[in-house]
Amino acid sequence: MDYSLAIIEIVLALGFIAISGRIKKYPSNKWRLLYIVPVLLTVIIMSFIPWDIGMTGLYIAPFIMALGLFSEKVKVKRCIAGGAVVVALVTLVNISVNPEYNRLNLYGDFEEVFASMEKHYILADEKGIDWDELYKEYKPKFDEADKKQDLTQNYQLWQQYAQEFYDGHVGYVPNKLDEKQMLSVICESYGNDYGLSLIKLSTGEYVAVNVEGCGQSYSINDKDDIGNIDYFKVKDEYKTANADTDRLTLVNAGIKNGTIITKWDGKAIDDYFDDIPFYYFQVPVKENEEFYQPVYVAGMGGESVEISFLDESGEEKTVRAPKLGAYAPRLDNTITSIDKGVKMTNLTCKSLSDDTVMIRIYSMAYDMNTYDGVDYSEMTDKLRKEVLAYKEAGIKNIVFDLRSNSGGSPFMVQGVAQLFAPEGEHTTYYAAKINENTATFERGADGKYIKEDEMITYQGEDIWHDGQIILLVNAETVSAGDDMVYMMGDYPNVKIMGTTRSNNSCQAVQGMGISTGHFTFSVVPNLTEEGDIAIDTLTDHKARVPFDEYIPMTKELITSVFDNGEDYILEYVVAQLTEIH
C-alpha cells in the first residue's frame, strides 16, 4: 500500500504540472476541488495502514500539491507540483532501498508480549512459570532473529515460547505476513517429507500412515489439497527435483498404511520424542502430547532417512527414503484426517442409524447477534424442539460431534447443556475478585484466587433422561468445547469418547497484535466452587475434565481413514451404542 500511495501521488503531481496551463486558460472554482483530491485520497488510504515515520514525505506531498490553489501563475503552480513529485519520489526511493524501513521489530514484539504476559497472564503459578528464567532463555534468541530478520526463526521461537505454558489459549499465528510468507515459514519449520507419517497403535507398535501413493493418503502431486491451510500454493517450491519419481519409494518397498515401522534412521521412534522442538498446535495434556509425538518424528532427517519396517511375513527390512519436499502439508493432513469432525453446518443434526442421531458442533457460536451476549434462548428453543421430535420418533442416542471444536461462547454451551442436565440448579464457574487499583485478580494467603460471591448457574431440564448421550472429542476440542465437556461430563447418561482427551483449556483470552501476526494468552480466571482454576492443566500436565473411553488406534481405523477416506471414529461410536442396546 505504501508503494502504491507513492506512485499515485507522483502521478497526480505530474498531472497538475500538465494541466497548470489549462487551469490558467479556463479559470473556474471547480479546479480548486481538484487540488483537494490528493489530500482526501491520502487520508482515506492512510486510514487503512498504520502511521510510519518512513512515509512522512507521502503525508506531506498532498498538502504541497494543495498549495497550488493559492497561486495564479502557471510557473509557480508547476514548481509546487514539481516539489511534490520530488518529495514523493525521494520517499519512494527511501522505502525501497533503506533496509531499516522494511525491518520488522521482532525483538520488540517479544518484549511487548512478555511484559504483558508477566503482568496479566493468570495461570503463571498454576503452570509453574519462572518469568526470569523464561526471559533469560528467549531474550537472546529473539534478539538474534531480529538482527537477521529471520521470519522462520521468529515463527519457531514463538511456537517454542507458547509451548512453555502448556495452555491451549497461548498461541501465535503469523497472519500479518502475506499468505505466501506465512505458508513458507510453516513449511520450513516442520522438517522434511519422506512420504509418510507415523502413529502409535493402542497395542504399542508404531505404524506408517498417510503413505504416499496409498488410497486416500495425501500426495505431493495433488494440486487441490485445500485443508486447514492452503499448502498447495507453495508446496511445489519445496519439492525436490526427483520428487515425482521418488514418491513411490515406500510403496514399492512394501510400506503401506498400517505397516509396522521399527526404526527411524537406525533409532527407535520414541528416542526422538525429546528432540521435537514444538508442535503444530498447543497440547496441554501429557497423554494427548504423547499421541501426536510420532507424527512429528516422521519429519526428522536429512536428504534421506533409513526406515526399518516389518514386511507381510514379519521380516524386518530397511529402505532408504529420499526427501520429497516439506513435511508440513502431510503433517497437517495427517492430523486433520484423524481429528476432523463431520463437515456440515454448525449445530445441525444427522441421522446415523435407526436409533442414533448426531448433532455437530464445531464452534460455540450460534449467530452474530448472540455471540457477544448471554441470551441463547432462541437457539435453546430450536434445539429443544428438534431433540423432542427425535425422542418422539424413537431415537435413543445422541452423539455430539465436538471434534476440533474451536470454542466460542460459554453461554451457548449453557444453552445446550441445560436441556440435558438433571433437573434443578447447576453451577458452572465463579468469577475471581479483581483489584481495581492494580487491575489484577487478587489471590489469598493460600495462593488461590479470591472468588466473587456469585456463581454462574443454569436450570436443568433433563429432556433426554432415558437416552444415552456421547460427547465425541479430541485434543483440538478447546476452550468453550472444553466447557461443554466440563459441564456435561458428569451427567448420569453422558459418556465422553475420543482418540484423545479434550484440550483442557478454558480461561478467557486476550489477543495482541504484533508486527508479524497475533498472539493470545489467558487473562481472566474461571474458578470452581472450591476456588481452584477450572479445567486447565497444572504443572503435572494431567487432564482435569471428565473422560470415559479412548477409541483404540487400530490398523482397521488407519485403513478406514487413510485408504478409504471414511469416518471410522464416528462409525465406531455408533457401533458401540448399537451394542449397548
Side-chain angles (χ1 to χ4, degrees), residues 398-473:
I398 295 177
V399 178
F400 281 98
D401 186 359
L402 302 179
R403 288 174 292 177
S404 298
N405 183 291
S406 59
S409 171
F411 297 105
M412 174 175 162
V413 178
Q414 248 179 249
V416 175
Q418 72 179 62
L419 296 175
F420 305 96
E423 291 183 355
E425 185 175 79
H426 297 262
T427 57
T428 56
Y429 309 120
Y430 279 95
K433 186 176 182 180
I434 191 167
N435 185 318
E436 294 183 2
N437 294 323
T438 62
T440 58
F441 294 98
E442 293 187 13
R443 292 183 184 263
D446 58 359
K448 294 182 179 181
Y449 284 108
I450 299 172
K451 297 182 301 179
E452 292 284 7
D453 293 333
E454 293 185 6
M455 193 175 195
I456 301 171
T457 63
Y458 62 95
Q459 295 294 322
E461 299 182 26
D462 205 12
I463 66 173
W464 203 253
H465 178 82
D466 296 320
Q468 178 76 16
I469 298 171
I470 301 290
L471 303 186
L472 182 55
V473 304

Side-chain angles (χ1 to χ4, degrees), residues 194-195 212 220 240-252 303 320-324:
Y194 303 103
E212 181 78 30
I220 61 167
T240 60
N242 299 320
D244 290 330
T245 54
D246 290 339
R247 61 181 288 267
L248 299 181
T249 299
L250 301 181
V251 171
N252 291 337
E303 291 302 305
R320 180 161 288 279
K323 180 177 76 172
L324 303 178

Side-chain angles (χ1 to χ4, degrees), residues 14 85 139 158 170 181 489 577:
L14 290 172
V85 171
K139 176 183 181 296
W158 279 124
V170 176
Q181 280 181 318
L577 288 168

Side-chain angles (χ1 to χ4, degrees), residues 51 53 175 191 324 330 376 409 503 539:
W51 169 274
I53 193 170
N175 57 6
L324 303 178
R330 194 180 305 275
Y376 279 79
S409 171
N503 190 273
T539 54

